[in-house]
Structures are given as C-alpha cells and as structure tokens.
Amino acid sequence: MAVRVKHFIIGTAAHLDHGKTALVKALTGQDTDRLKEEKERGISIDLGFAYFTLPSGERVGIVDVPGHERFIRNMLAGAHGVDLALFTVAADDGVMPQSEEHLDILHLLGVQRGVFVITKADLVEKKRLKEVREEIELLAEGTRLQGAPVVAVSSLTGAGLEQLKAELARQLEGLRARPVGELFRLPIDRAFVIKGHGTVVTGTATGGAVSVGQKLRLLPSGEVVRVRSIQVHSTAVERAESGQRVALNLSAGERAQVKRGDVVADERLDFATARLDALLEVRPSAKLPLKTNDLIHLFLGTSETLGRVIVLNEKAELAPKESGFVQFVLRAPVVALRGDRFVVRNAASQRTVGGGMVVNPLGRRSRNPLTRYHSLLAALNEGFGTAAIAAMIDLQEALALDAARISHLLNLPLAVVREALTQPAFIAIASGDEVSFTTVTKWEEFKRFALESVAAFHRANPLAAGMDMEALRARSPYQVAPRLYRALVDQLCEQS
C-alpha cells in the first residue's frame, strides 16, 4: 500500500580496525574520516559519508560507521536508513565481538541484503581465507543476512575490488525498494550553522520528497522552517527523495538548537510521542529476559532515548529468542510512525538487547483488557487494509480521528485511508467543515456510556431539567474535543 522509493543507501559495519574506511576509499576515492582526531588516531569516531557510482551512472550513498564499542551510539545513528550492508571482517582477526553486535543491529533494523567482505586478504594464505569464510557463515546464521555473498579483497593492492563492485551493483539491482510514507522525514545526524547562511542539517531521508522553498517542521520542538537550498552528494538540486543522503539549508536562524536525533519533516506531521507500542525481538546476545519496567535505551532514527518497557503478555517478560508486543514509556518524545525500525540496548547501554518495529505510535495508558489490546496490535501488525485502520482508531485515547491523522499514524497515503473509511466498519462524525472517523465498536461503546450516564443522572436527579453536556464529556471513556462532542450528541439524538 505504501509508496516505494528507488534510491538506496549502503552502510558499512564491522569490528574496530577491520578496514571499513580504507575499503570505502578504495571503492570511491573518498576519505570518510573527516575529523582531526580520526586522522590522528587512525580510527573512525563519528559517521562518515561518501557515494558509490553504479555502472548506470547513478550515485548510491554510503554511510561509514565507527566500529569501536565506545562509539556504538554513532553507529546506530548511521545505520537506521541502510538498505544494503557492506560488512567487513579482517582476514587476520576473523570474526570479533563487535562483528556480532553490528550484525545483530543490521538484522533488527530490517536490512535484507548485504555483502560480506574479507579485508586485508593480502596478509593471509588461502587456508586462512577459507577459515574466515566459515566464521562468517556461522556469524550470519539466523539473521537476515544468512547466505549473503562473501568477497575477499585487499584495499592496499586492489585485489578483489572489481569483483566487489560488480557484486554491489548486482545486489542493488535486485533489491526491492522499501515502502515509505508520503510525508517527508529526515532524521538529523549532523547539524551545524554557517555564518550568513543559517542552519544546515544532514541525514538519510526516510519518507516522501522535499523541494527548495518548501515549509518543514522541526520535531519534537514543532518549529516551522523553510528550505533555502538542497544538496545530494555535494551537488545542488531542487528536489530530494526518500532513500537519498540529503543536506538541507534551513531558514532556522543561526542558532545551535537543532541537534542529532531531531527530525525535520513535512509541515503536516505535527506530533511526537513518549509512549508507543511495538513488536520487539529479543536477541540471543541479550542473555537475560527483558521484563516489565526494565530500563532501556531506545534508538530510533538518529535519536537515543531512555525509558522503560512494558511487556504486553501474561508473563510480563520476553526471553532471549522470543518476540512479542511491548509498550515503551520514554523520558523524552521521539518521532515515530508505524513501520519504523528501532534497536534497544540495556539500562547502561552496554549491550544490544533487541529491536523491532513500531506498531502504534501513540500507545494508551489504559491497556485493559490486555487480551483486547493485544489483539488490536496483532490486527494492526498484520496488514494495511480496513482491519488495520480500524485497529489503529480503536487503540487511540481519542474517540475519533480525522483522515489525515489516521494516515500519518499508519504511514499510509491519504487516498488509501480515505477510500477505506467509506466502509461500513467506520462512523463519520461531522462538526462544521471538519469530519472525524471512529469505528462501529467505539461508537457503540460511547452510545451505551452516554445513554446509561443520562439514565443514571435522571434516576438520581428526577426533578432536574437534564444533564450538563460538559459533565457528560468529562466522564467519557475517550478523549473528545468540546466542539466535536456537540456533534456526537446531536448524532446520538438522531439515532435514538
């Protein structure tokens, strides 16, 4: 149902000093280590960026991530938009601890394609190359990259580079574009101010498109800005799309308020969330079960947020290798839509516990009965049709939502949502020019509540002229704006 993008991002992954940056330079001629400290120490500290030119002439963005465990936060900020993994394992070292964690992260972020590269192949004999291949096969077992091709190269001599380039092109050619929503979103991985020009932000676009002159919204602050100029791979363009590495010059003033983890988005996207429902997979490396009220670090897009987890099953825990629905209660708001991928680390952020996909961006505080809440999440997780739209409405604190808000939450095109809302499963409530929608289930619950409340009031106050409408609204089981409530009561009276 969602739009599919045609642009792709390659992302590196590997243990420290396994030749990621040298390999990118050998492939592209571009050095992704831009910081003075990186050049002095000979290791990547922050994200680096380059591009790979396909035989067709099309440029594909490359995000080079640090391999040291101390900089895993930076790695996670760069890995969120990766379509194809360039996973390096040094021939002399073989598979190392960060190799396993980086592969877990790629698996949890839903990366479907990759190429394993045995680097420093000139340093070892053929027997050792065979041993490393076997180590890689064991490492990849049970992940999305199981069975991915393995190519041995030397960035120093150039051996194997042409084979690797051909394999990357082959993998990208057969890669199915991921579905994205209509609304432009750019999780920010770099933000800086150029004197006289204002704020510049960079990131991997994860939805929609953006044009010069367009108004965007900075989230979670909500500030509206305008796009002064756009660059893709250091080239000025009038328009950029999802799946591209993008730099935006914004009319946000020369202020250092924008930071990594913020999102610049379509102006119509006007909310962030501190409580969301998700499908979570706990990886074997977690070692211990994830339990309700455990503190976690949630990595979503380029953001990192501390929070606690509520496991939505009777045991109130998920063991390693188990998957299930959870709710995250966060200490700071994040920008999340259905289908967004995330990674979870433990309270000290020392170990990757698991990860998965956002199901409901606006989780409810009241989840009783749990079986009902769980079944709604299951329906929402399983499709994009009428049942999923009804489940999203039923999961919200609000009684009714307009079509645009439903579209945003589901990350679906507005036209698809509007067509589905014509089905008998939904009730339209008109208030002036505004139309909101609820489900038959919610409508019947509201009608029963209203009739029972009015009857109880008259039994207790037989001489009263009638119950105050605001008193009835305050007791409603769902959130309803005053103007919409008047339309609800009028509609209820017509049906009674």
Side-chain angles (χ1 to χ4, degrees):
M1 286 287 189
V3 178
R4 291 187 177 272
V5 296
K6 61 182 179 180
H7 304 289
F8 300 107
I9 297 293
I10 297 173
T12 66
H15 190 83
L16 171 70
D17 198 30
H18 275 208
K20 299 184 304 301
T21 303
L23 178 62
V24 171
K25 188 173 183 179
L27 285 170
T28 68
Q30 303 157 53
D31 187 358
T32 56
D33 279 348
R34 55 187 171 79
L35 302 177
K36 179 183 177 182
E37 297 90 336
E38 292 176 318
K39 297 185 182 297
E40 290 175 349
R41 298 169 63 179
I43 63 171
S44 296
I45 296 172
D46 205 352
L47 302 176
F49 309 103
Y51 58 84
F52 177 68
T53 304
L54 297 172
S56 64
E58 182 183 355
R59 289 179 175 180
V60 177
I62 296 181
V63 180
D64 185 27
V65 305
H68 198 290
E69 63 180 345
R70 287 175 52 195
F71 307 121
I72 194 70
R73 290 179 170 88
N74 295 341
M75 183 272 177
L76 283 157
H80 77 94
V82 168
D83 300 292
L84 177 70
L86 186 63
F87 200 106
T88 63
V89 178
D92 50 353
D93 283 345
V95 170
M96 299 289 281
Q98 284 305 112
S99 304
E100 181 179 356
E101 183 165 29
H102 277 213
L103 187 56
D104 266 353
I105 288 169
L106 294 174
H107 169 81
L108 294 165
L109 291 176
V111 179
Q112 301 285 348
R113 290 274 185 109
V115 179
F116 287 101
V117 184
I118 303 176
T119 56
K120 307 181 184 180
D122 56 304
L123 300 181
V124 301
E125 302 294 333
K126 288 185 177 180
K127 180 182 177 182
R128 176 56 182 164
L129 289 177
K130 182 180 179 182
E131 292 172 351
V132 176
R133 283 179 181 272
E134 292 172 350
E135 290 180 12
I136 290 172
E137 288 175 2
L138 288 173
L139 174 70
E141 190 173 337
T143 72
R144 301 179 198 274
L145 296 187
Q146 182 172 339
V150 182
V151 179
V153 306
S154 169
S155 300
L156 185 63
T157 68
L161 285 178
E162 291 306 313
Q163 181 187 352
L164 176 57
K165 289 178 181 179
E167 187 59 55
L168 289 172
R170 185 160 45 249
Q171 292 292 323
L172 288 168
E173 184 179 351
L175 182 59
R176 190 182 183 206
R178 66 185 181 276
V180 297
E182 286 184 319
L183 299 183
F184 176 77
R185 286 189 294 158
L186 185 82
I188 296 170
D189 52 41
R190 290 181 66 208
F192 51 93
V193 172
I194 300 178
K195 191 172 183 179
H197 293 274
T199 301
V200 175
V201 299
T202 72
T204 300
T206 58
V210 63
S211 301
V212 172
Q214 183 175 336
K215 285 185 178 180
L216 298 176
R217 189 181 302 276
L218 286 170
L219 294 170
S221 72
E223 180 183 359
V224 175
V225 297
R226 188 181 295 276
V227 179
R228 288 177 169 174
S229 62
I230 305 172
Q231 286 192 357
V232 175
H233 305 311
S234 302
T235 301
V237 296
E238 290 295 311
R239 186 176 186 272
E241 297 178 336
S242 182
Q244 293 183 311
R245 286 289 311 169
V246 181
L248 300 177
N249 180 201
L250 304 175
S251 61
E254 297 183 1
R255 303 183 297 276
Q257 296 178 351
V258 186
K259 63 185 185 304
R260 175 179 288 179
D262 291 346
V263 176
V264 60
D266 190 296
E267 186 183 10
R268 292 168 293 176
L269 188 59
D270 60 357
F271 67 91
T273 179
R275 184 184 292 266
L276 59 91
D277 300 319
L279 182 63
L280 174 70
E281 174 189 352
V282 180
R283 294 299 291 162
S285 57
K287 298 180 182 179
L288 297 172
L290 187 67
K291 300 181 180 180
T292 287
N293 287 325
D294 278 354
L295 285 175
I296 54 91
H297 286 255
L298 180 75
F299 293 83
L300 191 153
T302 57
S303 69
E304 175 189 359
T305 311
L306 188 65
R308 61 186 178 90
V309 63
I310 300 170
V311 180
L312 302 177
N313 63 25
E314 292 182 356
K315 297 186 301 180
E317 68 175 43
L318 286 173
K321 299 185 180 181
E322 282 189 332
S323 297
F325 293 117
V326 300
Q327 185 172 98
F328 295 114
V329 182
L330 307 173
R331 295 188 180 178
V334 297
V335 179
L337 300 181
R338 182 198 180 196
D340 288 351
R341 309 290 306 196
F342 63 86
V343 170
V344 170
R345 305 195 89 214
N346 64 354
S349 198
Q350 296 171 330
R351 182 172 65 253
T352 295
V353 174
M357 186 178 72
V358 175
V359 177
N360 171 28
L362 298 177
R364 280 212 317 249
R365 291 178 180 273
S366 173
R367 298 171 297 277
N368 293 322
L370 183 58
T371 52
R372 167 68 174 159
Y373 200 85
H374 196 281
S375 67
L376 289 173
L377 290 176
L380 185 54
N381 185 57
E382 288 172 4
F384 295 92
T386 301
I389 294 173
M392 179 63 83
I393 296 173
D394 283 342
L395 281 165
Q396 303 311 305
E397 299 274 8
L399 175 66
L401 305 172
D402 63 40
R405 176 52 63 95
I406 297 168
S407 166
H408 298 167
L409 290 172
L410 286 163
N411 209 11
L412 283 177
L414 182 57
V416 172
V417 172
R418 281 179 170 159
E419 182 179 355
L421 291 172
T422 62
Q423 300 298 313
F426 305 102
I427 302 291
I429 306 163
S431 176
D433 295 333
E434 299 175 5
V435 180
S436 297
F437 297 86
T438 190
T439 63
V440 170
T441 301
K442 262 188 171 179
W443 174 254
E444 291 300 326
E445 287 179 357
F446 168 76
K447 186 162 64 173
R448 185 166 53 253
F449 154 78
L451 294 176
E452 290 176 355
S453 296
V454 171
F457 175 84
H458 282 295
R459 285 195 299 269
N461 305 275
L463 300 180
M467 186 177 183
D468 180 70
M469 187 179 298
E470 183 58 27
L472 183 64
R473 187 180 76 88
R475 296 174 55 197
S476 175
Y478 298 109
Q479 296 174 0
V480 188
R483 183 180 177 185
L484 181 61
Y485 208 79
R486 163 65 71 178
L488 278 171
V489 172
D490 289 345
Q491 197 160 324
L492 179 60
C493 291
E494 290 175 5
Q495 294 185 10
S496 300

